[in-house]
Amino acid sequence: MEALPQALLLSLVAGATIPLGGLLARFERIHPNWLEAEFRHSVIAFGGGALLAAVALVLIPEGSARLPHGATLVAFVAGGVVFMLADRALARRGGAGAQLMAMLLDFIPEAIALGATLAAGQGGGVLLALLIALQNGPEGFNAYREMRQGTGVSARRLLWVFSALALLGPLSAAIGAVWLADAHRLLGAIMVFAAGGILYLIFQDIAPQARLRRHWGPPLGAVAGFTLGLAGHLLTGG
């Protein structure tokens, strides 16, 4: 199990951007006010671009290669439907924590896929870790802001919680590396399922929040997020 230490390290680094995003979000106000709005919405859009890169460049290509076409379509639609149901359940509870749950709903399956991919000796592991890190930072930023405003939990306690959540990455990667490396169809289903859920979240929760009238920073942020994912894809031989 030579790939296990690498999977644990990469998933830990990828998860570490969760508390880093929360730490950045502690700067409650950026002046002037227009810059605060532009920055916040651009960070949201950047995360959406990175998520889209994960779907388009890693999860769908790698997952669909392990599954028959019919199973790929079923897993993708199932991911969208399940994430929709989870999103509705969170909304009925008041919505606070929705960003946090959305982050975990893509972080955990991707970390599982990362561990399994590295253990199976497949390409794309480093790229996937990069994409996870890129999306976790903005998602940590947004989840921190949402929970501070909606729950009143102290800043220090939230950062401790976010740091603990980062450890779910190595745990999930270990599950993928030890038990799923040879389960190609199950791994493919997890990746495609996660892709369907992520696409739902992009259009339901992320893209609507990133829009500002007559502002161009947020859409450019989405382009920047995808560009970094594409650069990683090209540099790793994708």
Side-chain angles (χ1 to χ4, degrees), residues 121-179:
Q122 302 292 323
V126 174
L127 171 60
L128 183 55
L130 172 64
L131 293 175
I132 295 171
L134 286 175
Q135 69 199 42
N136 278 345
E139 288 180 330
F141 179 96
N142 297 323
Y144 176 93
R145 286 285 183 95
E146 180 185 62
M147 294 192 72
R148 279 287 288 158
Q149 294 170 4
T151 66
V153 178
S154 70
R156 178 173 296 183
R157 184 175 180 182
L158 271 181
L159 289 177
W160 277 112
V161 169
F162 279 27
S163 298
L165 290 176
L167 299 178
L168 291 175
L171 176 61
S172 301
I175 291 172
V178 174
W179 287 294

Side-chain angles (χ1 to χ4, degrees), residues 36-204:
E36 158 74 13
E38 191 83 21
F39 179 76
R40 176 177 171 79
H41 286 254
S42 297
V43 168
I44 293 171
F46 182 92
L51 281 168
L52 187 58
V55 170
L57 302 176
V58 179
L59 294 175
I60 289 297
E62 295 289 335
S64 62
R66 294 171 166 84
L67 290 172
H69 295 333
T72 298
L73 295 175
V74 169
F76 186 79
V77 172
V81 171
V82 170
F83 276 50
M84 179 269 292
L85 294 174
D87 190 49
R88 291 186 63 182
L90 287 168
R92 285 195 296 268
R93 298 179 60 182
Q99 288 279 352
L100 179 63
M101 287 302 299
M103 176 175 63
L104 295 179
L105 284 170
D106 58 65
F107 177 41
I108 292 174
E110 287 176 343
I112 291 173
L114 171 63
T117 297
L118 290 170
Q122 302 292 323
V126 174
L127 171 60
L128 183 55
L130 172 64
L131 293 175
I132 295 171
L134 286 175
Q135 69 199 42
N136 278 345
E139 288 180 330
F141 179 96
N142 297 323
Y144 176 93
R145 286 285 183 95
E146 180 185 62
M147 294 192 72
R148 279 287 288 158
Q149 294 170 4
T151 66
V153 178
S154 70
R156 178 173 296 183
R157 184 175 180 182
L158 271 181
L159 289 177
W160 277 112
V161 169
F162 279 27
S163 298
L165 290 176
L167 299 178
L168 291 175
L171 176 61
S172 301
I175 291 172
V178 174
W179 287 294
L180 296 180
D182 296 322
H184 298 294
R185 292 199 173 188
L186 178 57
L187 175 60
I190 291 173
M191 297 175 81
V192 174
F193 178 90
I198 290 169
L199 191 62
Y200 170 85
L201 292 171
I202 288 173
F203 285 95
Q204 173 63 17

